[in-house]
C-alpha cells in the first residue's frame, strides 16, 4: 500500500500532463505525439543509450592503443557497471527529492528539476553550489567536445576547409538546438541517434576485420603510465554520460520506473563499444596513438562516408543533450524558465552557445580533451558527488527508515550500498581524478606544446599539392 501511495504522489503531475497532451483543444496532433513529445520508459532508454555513446565511440580504439587490449576491455566493463550504479543513485535521490516536494504540494508542471536542485533540497546550498559548478562545467565541455568531433569527422569527407573553419560552421548549426524546448522533444532524435551510432560501431568493426592488420602492426600498449591512465580516463568519460539523468527522468511520465534503464542502456552500448574498439585496435595497433579518430585510418568508401554523415547528425543531437540542461540553468538565472513562448526561450538561450563555440576553437584536441574532462570533471560530477550525496542523505536511521527507495537486497541493503559508495569515491578520487588527472593533463599540455592553441587543423595529414 505504501509503495502504491508513493507512486501516485510521484506520478501525479505526469498523469495530468498526459491528459493535457491528449486534449484536442491543445491542438496536439497524433504526429506530434508520436515523433516529438515523449515520456515513456522506451524514450528514456533511447535517450540514455544515445547520449552515452556518441563521438567517444571513435576515440575508444585510441584508448585501447594506450591501455592494451586486455585493460581496455576490463576498464569498459568496470566503468560501465560503476556508471550504472551511480546513475541509479542519482535516480534514487531524484525520486526522494521529488516525493518530499510533492508532499508539500509543489507543482513541477512548468519547471524542470535539475541535479543541483535535488542536492539543494536534500543537502543544502553548499552541495547545490558544488553540483552546479561541476555539472555545468562538464556539460559545457561536453558540448565543446561534440563541436570538435563534428569538425574532425567532416574533414575526412571534405578537406578543402580546415577543421577550425568547420568548427565555425557546425557551431552555427548546433546553435539551432535552442529551439528544442526540453527532453520530452527528443523522442525521434534519440531513436535516430542510437541507430546512427549502431551503424557506425558495426561499420568500424566489419571494415577493420575486412581490412585486416596493417603490415608490421604492433600492439605495444601499455608503454607508459601517462598513456595508460589517459586511456583509462577516456573510458571513465565514456560511461559518465549520466550528467543529464535528472532531466531525462523529469521528462518521463513515471520517473520511478527509471531504476534499471541506465544499466540496460549500458549493456547495449557495450555491444557497440567492445567489438568496434577491439577490431580497430587489432587492425591498426600503435598507429592509433597518433590517430585519435578511428575513421581517419580506414580507407574512404561509401560506407565510411555514410558513417561520418550519420555521426555528424548524432553529434548534433548529443550537443543538444549536453546543452539543454545549460539552457535550463540560464533560463532560471534570467527568469525566463516559466515562459511558454518557444521563440523567446530560444533567443534567450543563444548566449550559452557562444562560449562553447569559442572553447572548441581554442582547444581542438579531439581525443586528449575527452580524458582531461573525464578526470577533472566527470570524476566528480557523476561518480564522487552522487555517491557521497547518497551516503549523507541517508546517514541517519530516520532517513533510511523513511526512504522512498531502499537499496536492493542484491547489493546487501544499506550496508552493501554504503560499501559500494565508499569504494566508488575512493577509487575515482585516487585513480580517476588523481592518476587520471595527472596523466591527462600531461598529455593535454603535450598537445598544446606540439600543435598550439587555436590550431587550424589538429592531426591533419600534410595537404597534397
Amino acid at each position: 500500500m505504501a509503495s502504491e501511495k508513493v507512486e501516485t504522489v510521484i506520478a501525479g503531475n505526469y498523469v495530468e500532463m498526459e491528459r493535457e497532451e491528449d486534449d484536442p483543444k491543445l491542438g496536439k496532433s497524433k504526429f506530434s505525439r508520436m515523433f516529438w513529445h515523449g515520456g515513456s520508459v522506451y524514450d528514456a532508454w533511447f535517450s540514455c543509450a544515445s547520449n552515452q555513446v556518441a563521438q567517444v565511440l571513435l576515440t575508444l580504439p585510441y584508448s585501447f592503443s594506450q591501455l592494451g587490449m586486455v585493460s581496455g576491455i576490463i576498464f569498459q566493463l568496470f566503468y560501465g557497471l560503476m556508471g550504472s550504479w551511480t546513475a541509479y543513485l542519482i535516480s534514487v535521490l531524484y525520486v526522494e527529492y521529488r516525493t518530499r516536494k510533492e508532499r508539500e504540494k509543489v507543482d513541477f508542471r512548468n519547471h524542470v528539476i535539475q541535479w543541483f536542485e535535488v542536492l539543494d533540497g536534500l543537502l543544502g546550498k553548499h552541495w547545490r553550489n558544488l553540483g552546479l559548478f561541476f555539472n555545468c562545467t562538464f556539460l559545457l565541455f561536453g558540448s565543446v567536445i561534440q563541436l570538435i568531433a563534428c569538425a574532425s569527422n567532416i574533414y575526412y569527407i571534405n578537406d578543402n576547409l580546415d577543421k577550425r573553419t568547420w568548427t565555425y560552421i557546425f557551431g552555427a548549426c548546433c546553435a539551432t538546438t535552442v529551439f528544442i524546448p526540453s527532453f520530452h522533444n527528443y523522442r525521434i532524435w534519440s531513436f535516430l541517434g542510437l541507430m546512427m551510432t549502431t551503424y557506425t560501431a558495426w561499420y568500424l568493426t566489419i571494415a577493420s576485420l575486412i581490412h585486416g592488420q596493417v603490415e608490421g602492426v604492433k600492439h605495444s600498449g601499455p608503454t607508459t603510465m601517462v598513456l595508460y591512465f589517459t586511456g583509462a580516463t577516456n573510458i571513465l568519460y565514456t560511461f559518465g554520460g549520466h550528467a543529464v539523468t535528472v532531466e531525462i527522468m523529469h521528462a518521463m511520465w513515471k520517473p520511478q520506473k527509471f531504476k534499471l534503464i541506465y544499466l540496460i542502456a549500458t549493456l547495449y552500448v557495450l555491444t557497440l563499444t567492445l567489438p568496434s574498439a577491439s577490431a580497430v585496435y587489432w587492425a591498426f595497433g600503435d598507429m592509433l596513438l597518433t590517430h585519435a579518430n578511428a575513421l581517419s585510418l580506414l580507407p574512404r568508401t561509401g560506407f565510411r562516408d555514410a558513417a561520418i554523415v550519420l555521426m555528424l547528425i548524432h553529434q548534433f543531437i548529443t550537443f543538444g543533450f549536453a546543452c539543454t540542461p545549460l539552457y535550463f540553468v540560464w533560463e532560471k538565472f534570467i527568469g525566463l524558465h516559466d515562459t511558454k513562448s518557444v521563440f523567446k526561450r530560444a533567443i534567450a538561450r543563444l548566449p550559452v552557445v557562444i562560449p562553447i563555440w569559442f572553447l572548441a576553437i581554442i582547444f581542438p584536441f579531439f581525443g586528449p580533451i575527452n580524458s582531461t574532462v573525464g578526470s577533472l570533471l566527470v570524476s566528480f560530477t557523476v561518480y564522487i558527488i552522487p555517491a557521497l550525496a547518497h551516503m549523507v542523505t541517508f546517514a541517519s536511521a530516520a532517513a533510511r527508515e523513511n526512504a522512498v527507495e531502499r537499496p536492493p537486497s542484491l547489493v546487501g541493503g544499506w550496508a552493501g550500498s554504503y560499501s559500494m559508495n565508499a569504494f566508488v569515491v575512493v577509487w575515482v578520487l585516487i585513480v580517476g581524478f588523481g592518476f587520471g588527472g595527472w596523466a591527462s593533463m600531461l598529455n593535454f599540455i603535450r598537445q598544446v606544446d606540439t600543435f598550439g592553441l587555436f590550431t587550424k587543423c589538429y592531426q591533419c595529414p600534410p595537404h597534397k599539392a
Side-chain angles (χ1 to χ4, degrees):
M1 283 296 290
S3 63
E4 289 177 13
K5 184 177 179 181
V6 167
E7 180 167 325
T8 304
V9 171
I10 296 170
N13 287 342
Y14 281 85
V15 173
E16 291 172 17
M17 288 172 70
E18 283 186 288
R19 287 172 184 162
E20 287 176 6
E21 289 298 319
D22 292 333
D23 187 348
K25 292 179 182 178
L26 294 177
K28 298 287 186 181
S29 66
K30 287 185 178 180
F31 179 84
S32 175
R33 289 197 298 271
M34 183 177 294
F35 294 106
W36 177 248
H37 205 92
S40 70
V41 169
Y42 300 103
D43 290 313
W45 182 83
F46 278 115
S47 292
C48 288
S50 179
N51 183 54
Q52 192 177 61
V53 57
Q55 53 73 35
V56 76
L57 179 74
L58 307 177
T59 65
L60 285 173
Y62 168 67
S63 295
F64 270 45
S65 69
Q66 297 169 320
L67 288 164
M69 185 76 80
V70 175
S71 290
I73 293 170
I74 290 172
F75 270 115
Q76 279 203 42
L77 295 171
F78 177 66
Y79 282 134
L81 289 173
M82 186 181 286
S84 299
W85 172 250
T86 53
Y88 167 74
L89 297 179
I90 292 171
S91 73
V92 168
L93 293 170
Y94 169 86
V95 170
E96 185 71 28
Y97 167 78
R98 179 155 185 175
T99 303
R100 292 182 188 183
K101 288 296 180 184
E102 291 194 346
R103 283 171 180 164
E104 298 169 8
K105 307 301 181 185
V106 177
D107 190 336
F108 292 109
R109 277 179 292 181
N110 291 320
H111 183 94
V112 176
I113 298 172
Q114 294 189 266
W115 175 231
F116 70 92
E117 292 169 318
V118 172
L119 292 173
D120 187 22
L122 296 176
L123 298 168
K125 66 177 183 179
H126 296 303
W127 282 84
R128 176 200 66 196
N129 295 339
L130 190 68
L132 186 62
F133 170 77
F134 277 106
N135 200 258
C136 287
T137 310
F138 167 45
L139 291 172
L140 179 80
F141 277 96
S143 304
V144 167
I145 288 169
Q146 299 309 318
L147 270 190
I148 295 170
C150 285
S152 177
N153 287 341
I154 192 64
Y155 183 80
Y156 298 115
I157 289 181
N158 185 339
D159 60 2
N160 292 323
L161 299 177
D162 58 69
K163 291 182 181 179
R164 188 202 297 170
T165 304
W166 281 119
T167 303
Y168 292 136
I169 294 169
F170 278 100
C173 294
C174 289
T176 59
T177 57
V178 297
F179 289 99
I180 302 177
S182 74
F183 282 93
H184 280 297
N185 312 112
Y186 275 94
R187 164 168 274 187
I188 188 64
W189 295 114
S190 297
F191 172 76
L192 291 176
L194 190 57
M195 295 305 100
M196 293 167 185
T197 311
T198 300
Y199 170 87
T200 304
W202 285 109
Y203 159 73
L204 289 172
T205 305
I206 295 168
S208 297
L209 294 175
I210 292 174
H211 181 280
Q213 292 185 314
V214 295
E215 187 177 350
V217 64
K218 292 182 180 179
H219 300 90
S220 53
T223 54
T224 67
M225 290 277 282
V226 171
L227 289 178
Y228 188 82
F229 285 107
T230 301
T233 49
N234 187 39
I235 297 177
L236 180 82
Y237 168 84
T238 302
F239 294 98
H242 44 291
V244 295
T245 297
V246 169
E247 288 83 359
I248 291 173
M249 286 186 71
H250 194 81
M252 294 176 68
W253 305 133
K254 295 183 179 179
Q256 72 274 18
K257 291 187 175 182
F258 183 86
K259 298 176 191 175
L260 294 176
I261 286 176
Y262 196 86
L263 174 62
I264 298 169
T266 298
L267 294 176
Y268 178 77
V269 165
L270 286 169
T271 68
L272 306 181
T273 58
L274 286 172
S276 59
S278 301
V280 177
Y281 179 53
W282 169 82
F284 297 101
D286 291 352
M287 288 178 66
L288 286 158
L289 289 170
T290 54
H291 295 79
N293 189 331
L295 291 170
S296 65
L297 289 172
L298 289 163
R300 183 169 183 178
T301 63
F303 293 110
R304 193 193 77 158
D305 287 354
I308 290 173
V309 171
L310 292 176
M311 285 303 290
L312 287 171
I313 299 170
H314 189 209
Q315 280 148 12
F316 165 82
I317 297 166
T318 310
F319 181 93
F321 270 119
C323 234
T324 298
L326 295 177
Y327 296 151
F328 292 155
V329 172
W330 179 248
E331 288 170 0
K332 291 170 185 177
F333 178 73
I334 62 175
L336 276 177
H337 186 59
D338 295 334
T339 303
K340 292 185 178 180
S341 170
V342 173
F343 184 74
K344 283 183 181 178
R345 291 176 69 185
I347 297 300
R349 290 171 168 188
L350 280 173
V352 176
V353 181
I354 295 170
I356 294 169
W357 213 346
F358 187 62
L359 288 167
I361 293 163
I362 299 177
F363 305 117
F365 310 124
F366 185 69
I369 194 172
N370 294 22
S371 298
T372 307
V373 171
S375 61
L376 302 182
L377 298 173
V378 175
S379 56
F380 284 95
T381 305
V382 294
Y383 292 100
I384 294 173
I385 292 176
L388 282 175
H390 189 268
M391 294 170 77
V392 175
T393 299
F394 299 107
S396 68
R400 293 194 296 274
E401 182 66 28
N402 297 316
V404 177
E405 179 71 37
R406 296 172 180 273
S409 56
L410 185 66
V411 301
W414 288 110
S417 172
Y418 267 66
S419 300
M420 289 180 68
N421 290 344
F423 174 78
V424 168
V425 171
V426 173
W427 177 275
V428 176
L429 193 61
I430 295 173
V431 178
F433 176 70
F435 287 109
W438 162 74
S440 59
M441 281 304 298
L442 282 179
N443 190 41
F444 191 82
I445 292 167
R446 190 176 298 154
Q447 306 306 311
V448 175
D449 291 341
T450 305
F451 297 95
L453 300 176
F454 296 98
T455 184
K456 289 183 69 175
C457 215
Y458 177 66
Q459 287 190 343
C460 295
H463 217 78
K464 295 179 181 178

